[in-house]
Amino acid sequence: MPLHEAPLLATSPLVLSFRSALLLGSVLSCAGFAPRAVAQQLNEPAAPVSAPDAPTPDSQDEIGFAADSLNYDSNSEVVTANGNVQLLREGNRLRADKVVWDRNSGKVEAQGNVSVTDPEGNVAYGDRFDVTDTLKDGMVDNMLLVLQSGGRLAAKSGTRTSGIYTLHRASYTGCAVENSEGCPKEPTWQINAIKVVYDPTKERVSYTNANIELFGLPLIPLPGLSHPVGDGGSSGLLVPNLRYDNTNGFEIALPYYWKMAPNRDLTVTPHVYTDSLPMLETTFRHLYDRGAYQITGFATYGSRVATGDSNVGTNPAASQKDLRGYLDASGRLQLTPEWSVDGSLRVTTDRTFLRRYDISRDDRLRSTLGVQRINDNSYFSIRGWAVQTLRAGDSQGQTPIALPVIDYRLRLKDPLLGGVLQLQANTLAITRTHGQDTQRAFAAAEWNLRKLTGMGQEVTFTGYLRGDAYHSSDNDLTSTPSYAGKTGWQARGIAAAAIDVRWPFMGEAFGGVQRIAPRVQIVASPRLENLSLPNEDARAVDLEDSNLFALNRFAGYDRFEDSTRITYGLEYSLSLPDFSLQSIVGQSYRINSRTSILPDGTGLSDRTSDIVGRTTVRYKDFISFTHRFRLDKDNLSVRRNEIDATVGSKKTYAMVGYLRLNRNALTALEDLQDREEVRLGGRVQFARFWSVFGSTVIDLTDAKEDPISIADGYQPVRHRLGIAYEDDCLTLGFTWRRDYQANGDARKGNAFQLRLAFRNIGI
C-alpha cells in the first residue's frame, strides 16, 4: 500500500501565539457560563483545525497523507505522524495531533483533537480514535458526531462499522448549542439514551431506553424511539397532541407518519377521548409531475343530537348512536400549459360533527370540480358546485347545486376605434331538491378605451351590450318574492354606456409625494324588467368604496342597475419614506326619476346615494389601519362603520376589528341583516422566546342595529388566551379557549390544548 508523503509543514511560533490568543479571547468572553457536562460534549472542540491540504489519492487503495513531522520504524512497520496530521481515503478524512499507523495490522490510532469526516459530510470528534486503515470503521472515546443534515450526537463511546454509527450513553439534539456570541449554551431539548444507532444511508436515528429532556428536566420516556434526520423525513410517530374540552373530555392524538415514497405519504392519527368514543383521522398526500392532491378523512361511531332541515337539537336525551365523519379532498392537475383540472370535496355526515371535534367552524361546505383553459387573451371554464349547509335552521333542500357553470371570455384589440373588446358567453344551471330551479345563459360584449388628454385627465370610455335567456320553475318555493321572478322562459337585453374622468394632481408635500384626484363617472342604461327574472347571484348588494364606480353595483349577473347616474368622488394619497395614506370618498346621483329596484338599506334606493369612503394608513411595518364607512345622505347617520387595525411588530402586536352595520334595512331581506361586533387579538413577547397571546369575539348587536334582535348588546362569542415558547428548535404552547354558543352536541364551555413541536427532528 503506497504512502503519499506530503511536505513537512513547520508551524511558526507566531502562528501558534495568534491561535492561542484567539482561543484565550473566546474563553474569556464565555467565562460566565458553566454548562452541564453533556452540554460540553455537544459543543465542537475549541481547538482550531487547519484547512485540508492532504493530496487526493489516485485510487481507492491509496491514502493521502500530510503531517508536520513523520517517523517511520522499518523494523516494526509502524508510522508515527505528529502535528496537524491528515489522512484521506475513499472520501473519509481523518485529522489529529498524532497518528500511529501499524502497517502490519492495519490499525490506526489517532490522538489529540481528533476528527473524522465521512463521505456524507458527518463529522465525528473525539479524544482518541482507533480505526482501520480504510478509515471507515473504528472506535471512539468521548465522541461528538455533528450531522451534515442538522443535529448532533454526543456519547461516552462510539463505534463505526460499515458506515453505521453506534453510540453508548449518548444524547441527541437538533438545537443550537451556542448563543449569538458563540458561547456554549444548553440545548432547549435533547434525547438521552443508553444506546443510539445512526444509519447515514437511511438518515435515521434509533434509540434504546430513551427519554426526552426539556429545559434540562427529564420529561417523557420514549421506549423504542426512532426518527429521521434531515429534510427528507421518514416513517415514524409524530409529536402527540393533548387537549381537553367539556364535550369530549381529555383527548390525546398520536399521529403516525408513513413515508410511502419521496412523493407520497400517509398520516394516521387515532384520537382517544375520555368522554367519547375514539376517532380515526387519516391524511394521504401525493405529488406528481403534473399536479398534486390530498385526501383527509375523519370517522367515529358515537352519539349525536338529531338534526333536521329546520332545527338543530340540543337535548342530550334525544341523542342517538351513529357513524359520524368528514371527508376533505382537493387536487389539481396541469394537463398542458393552458389546460388544467382542479376540484375539492368537503362533506360531513351531520351539521355538528366539525364543531364538536373542533375540526372547522365553517357554516357551509363547498365542493367543486372544474376544468379550465387560460392563455394570453382567452379564458374558458366548465365547473360544478355543490353546497352542504351546516347552519341551524337552514333547509338543505333550498341549498343550490350549480351544474354546469360555463364561462368563456375572449379579449381582442378593437381595430376601428382602438381600445379593448371583451366577448363573454356564460351559462348556469341551478338545481334544488326542494326549491326553485333556474337555468340562465347570456352573451355579452364590453368595450373599453382609455385616453389621456393634454391637460392630464385620464378618460375611460365603456360600452356594454348583453342578451339574457332564463328559465325557472317552482318559483313559489322561494321565500323572498323579489328573488323569485316569473315562472317559465324570460328574456332580457341590456345596454349601458359610461364615461369615467379622473384628473390627478401630483406634487411634493411633507417630504414626500402627494396625489389629489377628483373623479366623475356618468353611466346611462335603459329601464329593464329586472324583477321578472330570478335572482340567484345578486342578492347581497351594498354600496361601498369597492363598487362605487362599478358599471353594475349588483354583485352578480341576475340584476343590472338600470339607471342614468352620475358618480363623483375624490381620491387622495400621500407617500413618505416610512408612511403612506390612501383615501377615497364619493357619492352618486340618479338622473332619471323612475323607481329603483335597489331595496332600502343598500344606500342606493333613493336618487341620491349615501356617502361612502375608505381610508388606509400604514407606518413602516408597525401600523396598519383601514377604515370603511357609509353615511346616511339625509342626516349623516353612520350606516356602516368598519375598522381593521394592527399595531406593533411581528413579536408584539395588537389587532382590532370592529364592524357596525346599521343600514335601516327591511327585515324581510335576510341578506341585509344588521349586526355589530368587535374582534380583539394580540401577542406580547415578555422574554426572548416567551410570549402570551389572546383574542376575543364579542357580539354587540342589539335593537339599534337589528329591531328584531333579542341580544342584550354584549354577548361574548369566543375567548382565547395562551402562552407560547418558540426558539430555533422548539415550539411549546398552552391555550385556553371558551365558547359561549352551543350548536347541537357541540356544547359551550372551556377547552384546553397543549401544543409541543420539536423542530429539526425530521418528522
Side-chain angles (χ1 to χ4, degrees):
M1 184 182 301
L3 175 65
H4 288 259
E5 297 185 1
L8 301 182
L9 306 178
T11 305
S12 68
L14 177 63
V15 174
L16 289 174
S17 300
F18 179 66
R19 290 178 177 176
S20 301
L22 287 177
L23 181 58
L24 178 61
S26 175
V27 171
L28 291 176
S29 65
C30 304
F33 180 80
R36 298 179 300 113
V38 72
Q40 291 175 327
Q41 294 174 1
L42 288 167
N43 284 273
E44 298 176 28
V49 179
S50 62
D53 52 13
T56 302
D58 295 329
S59 69
Q60 294 183 354
D61 295 330
E62 297 179 345
I63 296 179
F65 182 83
D68 290 347
S69 64
L70 181 67
N71 181 31
Y72 175 57
D73 188 339
S74 59
N75 295 324
S76 61
E77 291 290 314
V78 173
V79 179
T80 303
N82 290 281
N84 192 25
V85 185
Q86 300 183 34
L87 302 179
L88 177 62
R89 184 175 186 181
E90 298 183 32
N92 297 278
R93 182 181 297 273
L94 182 147
R95 297 170 177 165
D97 294 339
K98 178 181 180 181
V99 171
V100 178
W101 178 23
D102 188 335
R103 299 187 64 183
N104 292 321
S105 64
K107 177 183 176 182
V108 177
E109 180 181 340
Q111 302 174 5
N113 297 316
V114 187
S115 68
V116 175
T117 304
D118 64 20
E120 290 78 20
N122 306 305
V123 183
Y125 298 92
D127 294 336
R128 186 179 67 86
F129 276 53
D130 289 328
V131 297
T132 63
D133 53 13
T134 63
L135 306 184
K136 290 182 178 180
D137 303 332
M139 299 178 60
V140 188
D141 292 333
N142 193 21
M143 180 179 183
L144 169 65
L145 179 61
V146 180
L147 307 181
Q148 189 275 335
S149 55
R152 54 186 61 207
L153 284 153
K156 184 176 181 180
S157 63
T159 62
R160 181 182 178 214
T161 305
S162 300
I164 297 177
Y165 295 88
T166 302
L167 292 79
H168 302 279
R169 301 185 65 84
S171 299
Y172 169 83
T173 186
C175 304
V177 294
E178 292 183 352
N179 59 22
S180 57
E181 288 78 25
C183 298
K185 77 177 187 68
E186 294 185 9
T188 307
W189 61 263
Q190 64 186 42
I191 301 173
N192 303 321
I194 299 299
K195 178 182 176 182
V196 179
V197 177
Y198 169 58
D199 188 339
T201 303
K202 298 180 179 179
E203 291 189 332
R204 191 162 195 86
V205 180
S206 302
Y207 302 85
T208 300
N209 294 337
N211 69 81
I212 192 164
E213 190 176 286
L214 188 63
F215 300 115
L217 300 174
L219 185 63
I220 306 173
L222 301 169
L225 173 69
S226 69
H227 65 80
V229 295
D231 300 327
S234 182
S235 301
L237 291 172
L238 305 182
V239 178
N241 180 49
L242 303 177
R243 189 174 178 275
Y244 170 82
D245 63 45
N246 65 341
T247 301
N248 301 306
F250 285 98
E251 171 191 355
I252 180 170
L254 185 60
Y256 181 83
Y257 174 79
W258 180 22
K259 186 175 182 180
M260 308 172 70
N263 63 332
R264 294 193 307 274
D265 59 46
L266 176 70
T267 304
V268 179
T269 307
H271 298 256
V272 180
Y273 309 92
T274 58
D275 296 344
S276 299
L277 291 176
M279 180 176 66
L280 184 65
E281 173 190 357
T282 60
T283 299
F284 176 75
R285 301 183 301 177
H286 185 194
L287 173 67
Y288 48 102
D289 57 348
R290 293 192 176 184
Y293 66 91
Q294 67 86 27
I295 303 173
T296 299
F298 296 80
T300 185
Y301 185 82
S303 61
R304 66 178 175 90
V305 178
T307 61
D309 278 353
S310 59
N311 59 74
V312 175
T314 58
N315 183 11
S319 63
Q320 60 186 26
K321 294 285 186 178
D322 204 351
L323 180 65
R324 309 183 70 183
Y326 169 60
L327 181 63
D328 183 353
S330 61
R332 181 180 179 88
L333 174 64
Q334 193 72 37
L335 302 175
T336 69
E338 294 82 18
W339 286 95
S340 63
V341 178
D342 66 273
S344 64
L345 175 66
R346 299 186 68 195
V347 62
T348 183
T349 55
D350 56 83
R351 300 192 183 195
T352 61
F353 177 80
L354 298 181
R355 175 78 178 272
R356 168 166 181 165
Y357 293 97
D358 199 29
I359 299 171
S360 170
R361 295 188 172 272
D362 292 342
D363 58 1
R364 292 186 180 93
L365 300 180
R366 297 175 177 88
S367 301
T368 181
L369 178 64
V371 57
Q372 61 182 8
R373 183 184 188 277
I374 303 175
N375 64 14
D376 294 339
N377 295 308
S378 67
Y379 170 81
F380 174 71
S381 171
I382 303 177
R383 188 168 294 276
W385 294 84
V387 179
Q388 180 183 9
T389 182
L390 305 182
R391 288 185 173 186
D394 273 9
S395 171
Q396 184 62 45
Q398 290 282 349
T399 305
I401 300 172
L403 181 70
V405 183
I406 304 176
D407 190 47
Y408 176 73
R409 305 182 191 191
L410 177 63
R411 186 174 56 191
L412 304 169
K413 291 184 178 180
D414 185 354
L416 300 177
L417 302 176
V420 177
L421 178 65
Q422 178 175 286
L423 305 177
Q424 182 182 10
N426 180 283
T427 183
L428 166 69
I430 289 181
T431 304
R432 295 178 174 88
T433 58
H434 186 71
Q436 179 176 326
D437 297 338
T438 301
Q439 299 83 43
R440 178 195 74 198
F442 70 79
E446 181 176 342
W447 170 78
N448 287 280
L449 174 63
R450 178 177 175 269
K451 291 288 187 180
L452 293 176
T453 69
M455 297 183 64
Q457 294 99 337
E458 178 186 353
V459 183
T460 303
F461 300 93
T462 301
Y464 187 74
L465 292 173
R466 198 174 92 196
D468 301 342
Y470 280 78
H471 180 270
S472 58
S473 58
D474 296 324
N475 301 52
D476 57 324
L477 297 179
T478 297
S479 58
T480 304
S482 62
Y483 295 159
K486 295 180 180 180
T487 302
W489 288 97
Q490 305 292 329
R492 176 179 62 181
I494 298 174
I499 179 172
D500 190 322
V501 181
R502 180 190 280 112
W503 196 353
F505 297 89
M506 300 180 64
E508 296 182 0
F510 311 107
V513 178
Q514 180 178 240
R515 178 178 176 272
I516 302 173
R519 184 176 179 183
V520 177
Q521 179 197 57
I522 300 176
V523 179
S525 178
R527 182 174 182 176
L528 303 173
E529 293 296 331
N530 274 295
L531 297 180
S532 64
L533 278 66
N535 183 2
E536 298 281 4
D537 64 2
R539 298 183 177 184
V541 57
D542 195 7
L543 178 64
E544 53 188 29
D545 63 278
S546 61
N547 64 6
L548 175 64
F549 290 94
L551 189 67
N552 178 30
R553 289 180 287 200
F554 282 99
Y557 295 110
D558 291 337
R559 293 288 183 265
F560 193 89
E561 194 173 355
D562 55 347
S563 63
T564 300
R565 65 182 185 272
I566 180 171
T567 304
Y568 40 88
L570 182 68
E571 300 173 357
Y572 177 81
S573 68
L574 175 64
S575 297
L576 304 177
D578 295 322
F579 176 86
S580 68
L581 183 150
Q582 294 179 335
S583 185
I584 181 175
V585 62
Q587 187 181 36
S588 68
Y589 175 77
R590 192 166 62 249
I591 298 174
N592 57 285
S593 60
R594 60 177 178 264
T595 304
S596 173
I597 63 169
L598 290 154
D600 291 338
T602 62
L604 294 165
S605 55
D606 295 332
R607 295 183 66 179
T608 303
S609 76
D610 287 347
I611 303 169
V612 296
R614 181 197 75 247
T615 299
T616 300
V617 177
R618 292 183 180 276
Y619 175 70
K620 295 184 176 180
D621 292 330
F622 187 75
I623 295 177
S624 175
F625 175 87
T626 300
H627 178 225
R628 297 179 179 88
F629 65 90
R630 195 179 98 205
L631 304 178
D632 191 290
K633 65 183 185 309
D634 296 322
N635 53 22
L636 299 183
S637 297
V638 180
R639 297 302 180 193
R640 180 189 187 101
N641 191 15
E642 183 177 2
I643 296 173
D644 288 292
T646 301
V647 179
S649 63
K650 294 181 179 180
K651 297 180 179 180
T652 298
Y653 58 85
M655 298 184 299
V656 178
Y658 173 77
L659 172 65
R660 185 187 184 193
L661 299 176
N662 186 20
R663 295 171 290 194
N664 196 24
L666 298 175
T667 57
L669 295 176
E670 59 179 353
D671 299 288
L672 295 178
Q673 290 182 350
D674 290 335
R675 68 178 293 108
E676 183 179 9
E677 72 174 27
V678 62
R679 305 177 306 278
L680 303 174
R683 177 182 294 268
V684 176
Q685 182 169 345
F686 61 88
R688 183 178 180 184
F689 301 117
W690 289 95
S691 62
V692 293
F693 58 89
S695 64
T696 184
V697 179
I698 302 174
D699 186 359
L700 302 177
T701 306
D702 58 15
K704 294 179 181 179
E705 291 78 33
D706 187 356
I708 64 174
S709 174
I710 60 174
D712 60 3
Y714 185 88
Q715 178 60 54
V717 177
R718 188 180 310 114
H719 294 333
R720 188 170 70 106
L721 184 64
I723 184 170
Y725 175 93
E726 184 172 3
D727 63 11
D728 62 302
C729 64
L730 176 71
T731 298
L732 173 65
F734 181 77
T735 304
W736 163 74
R737 194 188 71 214
R738 180 172 179 83
D739 291 306
Y740 290 87
Q741 296 179 351
N743 184 13
D745 55 2
R747 298 191 295 269
K748 59 184 179 181
N750 297 316
F752 302 90
Q753 183 170 12
L754 176 65
R755 181 173 182 264
L756 183 63
F758 298 98
R759 302 182 186 176
N760 304 327
I761 204 171
I763 53 176

